[in-house]
Structure formats: C-alpha cells, structure tokens
C-alpha cells in the first residue's frame, strides 16, 4: 500500500519527501482505513469531539456549567504510566544505564513490527505535526506523532502547538522527531472480521520505546497520559535529554515560575524538580500566604534550559497545557488550577455528578450524595471505593490559568535564579536547605528519594530513589546525566542558578504533616530568594545550609514551635544511614559515576562526623 492508494482527506501540499516516506511506511505497517493530517483547527476539534461523544469515548459534561468540557473513562487496566514496559533501546546497554529498562534495538524493532502490523485496521490514522515550545523559538523543537486515537489528538491539541503552523516549519526543512502510537485495538481482526469499537481501546501488551541514537519513539498498547501523548515524557524528556546532552542544554522534569517582590519590583525565576504527583502543579500556581510577593506561572511539568547570550541559564516550558492530577485540587489547595477548569477541559477518570459535573476526592469537604465513579459505577460516600482514580487528570490550556505569566511564551525563555529539588520524605530531609555549591547541588539532586505516588504503576508509598525527579524520564545513563549537569555548572560558573532542597512532606511521629504546605511554601521560598539577593545569613549543617529559625517568615503561620523545630532536625545517625544507602546506590553506576559525586559523599560523611 502506498500513500497514493490510501484515501487521504486533505493531505497538505508541499510535504517533504521524508515525511511522505515515513507516513507511508507507518501506514503500510499498520494498515489504517484512512489517514488524516491534523490542521489544528477548531472545526477539526469539534468534529473529533462529536465523533468521540458518538463512540462513547467522551461524555459531554453539563455545558451550561462547564462549556467545552468532556469526561473520558479509561480502561481500568490503563490508568498510569507503565515504567516496567518503558524501554530505552540504545545500541549498548550501558548507554541506557542501570536505572532504565534496556532492550536491544534490533530485537525491539522486530517486536514492534509484529505488534504494529495491522494494528490500525478499520481506524483512522491521525498525523499530528507539533512544536514543543513556542513556534520557531530558538529552544523549541518539532515532532510528528502518528496515532490511531482521537483522544490523543484532542489532548495533543491542548498540550502542544499542533497543526498547520507546526507543519509549516517542518515543510521548511527544520529538524523533527518521529513518534508512532497505536492503542493496539484494530477494528478488523486477523481473520478479517470487523468488530465493534469500545470507549477506551487499548491492549494488555504494552511497549513504550525510545531509540536514542535514531531519535525515534514507538508506543503501543496504552492510551493514557505519558504513555500516549508522545510530545510529553517520551519526547520532551527521554529523547530531549539525549539531544540536550549532545547539544549542551538541559531537558528537565521541572516547573517554572516567576516571583516578583513588590517592594522593589525585583524578579526571580525559579525551576523545581519534584517526582510525579509531588506538587509541581501546585507550586507552579502558588498563592503566597505572606504579603509582598507575586507569583506567575510559566510551566508545571517540564523545563528546557539553555545557556543564553549573557551566560545565564534560560528556561522555556515546551508544553502548551497542563495534564494535572485532579484529586486534592480544591479552592483551598489550588484555586488557580480549579478556576482554569471552568471551560474547555478534558477530564479523565474523575467522578461524574448527577447534574453532569465532575467531582474528585478533596474537591469539596462534603462529597455528593451520589455520583458515577471513574469506572462507570454508581457511587455513594459510604461505598468504600474512590470516586476518582488517584491518578485521574485534567487537560487544560496553560493560558487558562489566571496566574499565567505574560512572558510564558517568550521564545528566549526566562533567566533562572534558583533551582529546587524536592520529594516526598516523611523523615530526615529538612523543609529547606541550600547547597554549598553547584556540585553539592548536583549531589543533592542525584540522591533525591521519594515515596512513590499513583502517577506510575507500582507500590504507592514505597521509598525509591528518584534522582532529579528523572528516574523514569532520563533517556540515557543516569551517571552520564549527572556528569552533564556537572559540566554545565562549570560552564555557567558564577552565573549558575543557586540550588536548594525542599521537603513539604515531613511527618511527625503521629503521622501528621509537620508543614502546612501549599500557599505557605512561599515562606521557605522567600528565604531562598533572600539568600540569592544576599540579604540573609545561613547556618552550615549536615545536609546543606539551613535558615536560622528567626529568618523564616512565620507571621500568621499556624504551626507549633515543636513542629517548626522538627522540620529542621538533622539526626547524624539517620544521615549516616542515608550516606551508606547512597554509597550502595552509587555502586551500581560503577566507573560511570563522576568522581565529583564520590567526593561529595565523602564531604557529607565528614559533616556527619563533625556533627556527632
Ligand atoms: P506530575 O504531573 O505527575 O508530574 O506531578 P506534579 O508534581 O505536577 O503533581 P501535583 O502538583 O499535581 O501533585 C499533587 C499532589 O501533591 C496532591 O496529592 C497534593 O495534595 C500534593 N501536594 C502538593 N503540594 C503540597 C504541599 O505543599 N504539601 C502537601 N502535604 N502536599 C502537597
Ligand atoms: C508524570 O507522571 O510525571 C506526569 C503525568 O506528568 S504523565 O504525563 O502521565 O507522565
Ligand atoms: Mn510529570
């Protein structure tokens, strides 16, 4: 089958030969019934929405209450990223490193040929040209995702700059990354018999594959989130981290925000890496509980950062939307996000109320008396099940957040002053500490551990290492990635951002969170910014430099003195155990581990010994 023999509705003129050849080869393999090149128009969106309502993929929400909003319910087996089925297919296993699943690229190509063969039979194949980052920007990059899922098209339309405008850049010969996705549910079976479509097609066999040398993405079997919206984790993190290593920049799992001090108008830009579902969206939309600071949102999940002309590190948000965790989002915790969801939002796996609205755990104190849960079953508050899946999400344009910065689409990015590393740590890690220098900051980032959340399949709550919040997202050997960070720091020198570690999740012995979090996170951040401005001293300690308690703004803060002190307690014995575990952790990287990090471990041990 060649492109010419496939019934194209509106194939754009002037496609580069390599695009035609690639689309044809994927069509030949997957055998779709039709091919549609997405133009990104509202007409196209409306047509696909109507089609998804008819097929049951979308449930139209109450349009008087939430215009342009839809609910999708996934298959209960397809609710999160599948890290065990995510592969880095580099030629040499050591280039994927011990923290990734490696697969031989030749073997994987054979597997992919097998599963993709005929996988789109009876379906339309959508071709989505997209830009990660503002169109034509110096830090931005292009891609084309082929998918057989209209739900993916609808989400990519929100999450990226998608359609004709991106295609124009590809037609001009700019570099683009190919990404192929199939849900793996053809509508014609092997015997040639047609079968009915279902609201959430997917396949029990899943492969999320990355080829770092040829810079390709192939994803099979899942329609959910980062498994299927290939611009996000697959491109903007796993493939982009490889591009960034080779080209001298950084692709990171970080939010970006601007904080302006109103008294003198001084602007600070901050990026922060937290593991999945650990508060990036909330922090990106921070509403300070202390006066005098204004926060603007630039991004909530991914930052691409490059040294700029004046030698500073500049960050852009490569995405155009938020794919945010719904549960826990409320008028109290994140009013900005909540208000953004008033219109033109796709909700996935949340509860459906009797008046056609949405609900999730934490949205209101008082749950509705009845609703339909994320699996389509009747739900009442006492039924013992969750109304929304813990990894249920909303997809919304970034521009719908009232906190969005007027400069969020500046193609040159914003100059970064501060980098935060955080995780969920019930013990040991203080509310905030400053790294002694860049290399110490890299050590802190490299040793982050965090309790696992529902964002990926696995044991929720289990403590695991999540270096730089990139464990599931680094496209090459993690030790080489640390080396890349060390080199970039040396290049930036005195102009490098300052690095801090934070932990909103420390718990008291009775299990309550010691820190109120959310808007009050502005307090330790204020201290960090005052450090950058050279306005406040710090106290040298085991894990880094701590604030003197008097320097942390606690006006109006609802916390006991005991809890406040506990937040900064550093137990030398517990830290000696941390150091032992770090040594064990580092051992798996063998001779790829940068010597500087071994040196940082020794320095940590020396500080522990001095504190004893
Ligand atoms: P991904 O989109 O998965 O990368 O994650 P994210 O980091 O953007 O996650 P998000 O901001 O949606 O995290 C939400 C979870 O973090 C919810 O369970 C919140 O209740 C919790 N959370 C966010 N901020 C805080 C905080 O300051 N304190 C506490 N205790 N919990 C918080
Ligand atoms: C994450 O898991 O870090 C996310 C959600 O941001 S997903 O896009 O599904 O990866
Ligand atoms: Mn994320």
């Amino acid at each position: 089958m060649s492109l010419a023999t496939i019934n194209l509705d509106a194939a754009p003129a002037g496609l580069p030969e390599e695009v035609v050849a690639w689309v044809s080869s994927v069509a030949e393999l997957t055998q779709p019934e039709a091919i549609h090149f997405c133009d990104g128009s509202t007409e196209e969106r409306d047509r696909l929405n109507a089609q998804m309502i008819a097929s049951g993929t979308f449930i139209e929400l109450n349009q008087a209450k939430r215009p342009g909003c839809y609910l999708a319910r996934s298959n209960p087996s397809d609710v999160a990223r599948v890290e065990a089925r995510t592969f880095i297919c580099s030629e040499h296993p050591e280039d994927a490193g011990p923290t990734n699943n490696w697969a031989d690229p030749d073997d994987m190509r054979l597997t992919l040929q097998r599963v993709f063969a005929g996988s789109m039979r009876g379906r339309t194949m959508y071709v989505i040209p997209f830009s990660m980052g503002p169109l034509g920007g110096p830090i931005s990059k292009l891609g084309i995702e082929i998918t057989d899922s209209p739900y993916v098209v609808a989400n990519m339309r929100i999450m990226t700059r998608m359609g004709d405008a991106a295609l124009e850049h590809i037609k001009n010969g700019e570099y683009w990354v190919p990404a192929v996705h199939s849900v793996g549910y053809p509508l014609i079976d092997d015997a040639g018999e047609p079968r009915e479509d279902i609201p959430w097609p997917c396949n029990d066999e899943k492969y999320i594959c990355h080829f770092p040398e040829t810079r390709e993405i192939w994803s099979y079997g899942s329609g959910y989130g980062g498994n299927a919206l290939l611009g996000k984790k697959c491109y903007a993190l796993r493939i982009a981290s490889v591009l960034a290593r080779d080209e001298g920049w950084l692709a990171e799992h970080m939010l970006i925000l601007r904080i302006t001090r109103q008294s003198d108008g001084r602007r600070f830009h901050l990026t922060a890496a937290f593991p999945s579902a650990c508060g990036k969206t909330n922090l990106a939309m921070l509403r300070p509980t202390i006066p005098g600071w204004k926060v603007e949102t630039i991004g909530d999940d991914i930052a691409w950062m490059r040294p700029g002309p004046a030698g500073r590190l500049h960050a852009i948000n490569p995405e155009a939307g938020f794919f945010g965790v719904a549960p826990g989002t409320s008028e109290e915790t994140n009013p900005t996000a909540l208000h953004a969801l008033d219109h033109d939002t796709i909700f996935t796996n949340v509860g459906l109320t009797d008046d056609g609205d949405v609900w999730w755990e934490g949205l209101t104190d008082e749950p509705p008396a009845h609703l339909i849960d994320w699996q389509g079953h009747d739900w009442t508050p006492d039924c013992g099940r969750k109304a929304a899946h813990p990894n249920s999400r909303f997809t919304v344009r970034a521009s719908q957040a009232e906190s969005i910065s007027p400069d969020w689409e500046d193609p040159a990015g914003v100059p970064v002053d501060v980098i935060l590393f955080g995780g969920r740590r019930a013990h040991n890690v203080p509310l905030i500490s400053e790294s002694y220098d860049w290399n110490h900051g890299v050590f802190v980032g490299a040793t982050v551990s965090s309790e696992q959340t529902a964002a990926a399949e696995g044991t929720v709550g289990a403590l695991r290492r999540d270096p730089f919040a990139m464990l599931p997202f680094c496209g090459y050997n993690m030790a080489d990635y640390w080396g890349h960070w060390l080199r970039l720091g040396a290049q930036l020198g005195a102009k490098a951002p300052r690095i801090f570690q934070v932990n909103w999740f420390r718990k008291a012995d009775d299990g309550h969170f010691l820190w109120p979090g959310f808007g009050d996170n502005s307090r330790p951040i204020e201290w960090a910014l005052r450090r950058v401005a050279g306005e406040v001293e710090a106290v040298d300690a085991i894990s880094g430099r701590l604030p003197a308690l008097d320097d942390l703004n606690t006006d109006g803060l609802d916390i006991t003195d005991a809890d406040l002190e506990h937040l900064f307690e550093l137990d030398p014995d517990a830290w000696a155990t941390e150091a032992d575990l770090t040594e064990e952790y580092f051992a798996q990287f063998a001779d790829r581990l940068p010597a500087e990090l071994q040196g940082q471990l020794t320095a940590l041990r020396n500080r522990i010994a001095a504190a004893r």
Side-chain angles (χ1 to χ4, degrees):
M1 196 187 308
S2 73
L3 194 62
T5 64
I6 290 172
N7 181 22
L8 296 181
D9 60 5
L15 284 182
E17 192 49 48
E18 55 166 11
V19 176
V20 174
W22 175 66
V23 172
S24 309
S25 71
V26 176
E28 247 168 71
L29 175 63
T30 60
Q31 298 167 24
E33 190 176 284
I35 302 180
H36 174 74
F37 283 82
C38 296
D39 60 16
S41 65
T42 51
E43 183 278 326
E44 176 181 86
R45 177 198 64 188
D46 294 345
R47 194 158 39 79
L48 286 181
N49 286 353
Q51 185 189 314
M52 282 190 280
I53 291 167
S55 71
T57 299
F58 266 4
I59 297 164
E60 190 173 48
L61 293 170
N62 183 331
Q63 295 296 297
K65 281 189 133 174
R66 284 190 200 269
C69 292
Y70 302 90
L71 168 65
R73 291 189 195 123
S74 79
N75 185 301
S77 69
D78 194 22
V79 294
R81 284 182 296 99
V82 282
E83 293 179 3
R85 307 300 305 160
T86 300
F87 300 94
I88 302 297
C89 309
S90 50
E91 279 161 27
H92 304 290
E94 54 276 21
D95 290 335
T99 59
N100 278 313
N101 298 315
W102 176 79
D104 179 87
D106 294 334
D107 291 351
M108 186 55 86
R109 281 187 201 283
L110 288 177
T111 300
L112 293 171
Q113 290 285 323
R114 170 176 65 77
V115 296
F116 273 92
S119 75
M120 298 189 187
R121 291 171 87 195
R123 293 191 182 279
T124 297
M125 176 174 121
Y126 300 93
V127 182
I128 313 170
F130 63 92
S131 173
M132 299 311 291
L135 278 157
I139 312 180
S140 305
K141 289 198 181 285
L142 300 157
I144 305 180
E145 175 165 356
I146 288 178
T147 180
D148 54 9
S149 162
Y151 169 88
V152 166
V153 177
N155 278 269
M156 285 290 284
R157 188 173 196 283
I158 296 172
M159 296 303 297
T160 70
R161 284 93 174 164
M162 174 270 257
D164 279 348
L167 189 60
E168 280 311 308
H169 287 271
I170 291 169
K171 283 188 196 166
N172 287 340
E174 289 174 40
Y175 177 74
W176 57 279
V177 166
V180 185
H181 170 250
S182 174
V183 294
Y185 194 92
L187 296 178
I188 297 170
D189 68 19
D190 287 342
E193 292 299 318
R195 63 171 167 177
E196 284 291 302
D197 204 358
I198 50 176
W200 189 278
C202 61
N203 196 300
D204 286 343
E205 196 177 359
K206 293 179 172 54
Y207 294 93
I208 321 294
C209 301
H210 310 74
F211 295 84
E213 280 98 5
T214 53
R215 292 149 188 200
E216 290 165 76
I217 300 159
W218 287 80
S219 168
Y220 178 85
S222 168
Y224 205 88
N227 297 334
L229 314 177
L230 303 185
K232 197 173 179 51
K233 306 302 185 176
C234 298
Y235 185 173
L237 290 176
R238 296 193 194 98
I239 294 296
S241 62
V242 171
L243 298 172
R245 173 197 63 193
D246 295 348
E247 298 169 3
W249 52 284
L250 299 170
E252 300 301 328
H253 192 203
M254 290 180 176
L255 67 94
I256 311 169
L257 56 78
R258 167 184 289 169
I259 311 186
T260 306
R261 178 158 62 185
Q262 283 155 328
S263 59
D264 59 359
R266 179 158 177 183
R267 280 174 173 179
F268 301 85
H269 295 99
L270 180 151
T271 67
F274 297 89
S276 303
C278 289
K280 286 186 300 299
T281 304
N282 285 285
L283 187 58
M285 299 174 188
L286 178 73
R287 293 212 181 173
T289 51
I290 49 175
W293 297 91
K294 182 179 167 218
V295 171
E296 295 165 28
T297 308
I298 295 170
D300 85 324
D301 196 46
I302 299 175
W304 283 1
M305 304 191 282
R306 261 184 203 264
R312 299 192 60 198
L313 196 59
H314 283 251
I316 66 160
N317 172 9
E319 301 191 278
F322 306 129
F323 182 64
V325 177
T329 306
S330 73
E331 196 63 58
E332 279 69 50
T333 58
N334 193 340
T336 306
L338 196 61
H339 301 166
L341 312 181
D342 282 349
H343 64 98
D344 297 298
T345 302
I346 300 168
F347 296 92
T348 307
N349 286 347
V350 302
L352 173 66
T353 65
D354 294 346
D355 63 346
D357 203 354
V358 289
W359 193 83
W360 49 76
E361 279 67 24
L363 176 60
T364 54
D365 290 339
E366 189 72 20
H370 171 265
L371 52 69
I372 305 295
D373 73 11
W374 69 276
Q375 299 197 63
H377 302 133
D378 281 299
W379 182 94
T380 51
D382 58 3
C383 73
R385 286 176 286 115
K386 289 208 187 306
H389 186 276
N391 192 40
S392 56
R393 302 241 170 191
F394 52 78
T395 319
V396 66
R397 273 260 147 195
S399 55
Q400 286 183 210
E402 56 211 20
S403 61
I404 199 77
S405 171
D407 293 330
W408 82 279
E409 296 193 279
D410 184 341
V414 296
V416 181
D417 299 286
V418 167
I419 294 173
L420 303 183
F421 292 119
R424 278 180 193 261
R425 287 299 303 268
H427 308 289
N428 291 357
V429 178
L431 178 64
I432 187 163
S433 65
E434 182 185 355
S435 299
Y436 286 104
D437 54 25
W438 179 272
N439 286 2
H440 178 228
V442 173
F443 175 77
V444 167
T447 54
V448 163
S449 46
S450 189
E451 292 149 27
Q452 187 167 341
T453 65
E457 286 191 340
T459 315
V460 172
L463 194 65
R464 66 169 189 176
R465 296 281 172 174
D466 193 348
F468 287 72
M470 284 287 278
L471 176 69
F473 306 124
C474 186
Y476 61 103
N477 188 308
M478 187 63 81
D480 295 353
Y481 164 92
W482 298 334
H484 180 57
W485 264 80
L486 292 165
R487 273 192 303 280
L488 210 83
Q491 181 190 331
L492 292 165
K495 293 183 173 164
R498 299 263 283 267
I499 301 178
F500 295 78
Q501 180 172 36
V502 296
N503 177 23
W504 320 141
F505 297 91
R506 194 156 176 176
K507 286 184 173 169
D509 297 335
D510 67 2
H512 78 265
F513 284 117
L514 291 164
W515 182 248
F518 303 98
D520 285 318
N521 295 335
S522 55
R523 298 170 187 274
I525 288 174
E526 177 192 53
W527 179 77
L529 301 183
R530 295 189 63 213
R531 283 290 298 161
V532 170
E535 297 167 357
V536 64
E537 296 297 311
V539 184
D540 288 3
I542 292 172
S543 71
R545 299 190 161 124
L546 303 183
L549 276 191
D550 287 349
D551 288 330
L552 189 72
N553 185 338
T554 53
D555 293 349
L557 182 66
D558 187 16
I559 188 172
T560 65
D561 286 348
D563 278 2
L564 194 58
E565 269 166 39
H566 191 166
L567 277 166
F568 291 97
E569 255 163 43
L570 296 171
D571 172 18
D573 292 338
W575 273 87
T577 307
E578 296 262 341
D580 290 345
L581 292 173
T582 294
E583 182 165 344
E584 260 173 48
Y585 178 65
F586 278 173
Q588 66 183 311
F589 299 99
D591 59 355
R592 303 282 271 238
L593 183 77
E596 289 87 343
L597 295 188
Q598 200 64 57
Q600 287 294 333
L601 179 58
T602 305
L604 172 66
R605 285 222 156 99
N606 291 341
R607 291 195 298 274
I608 293 167
R612 269 179 163 156

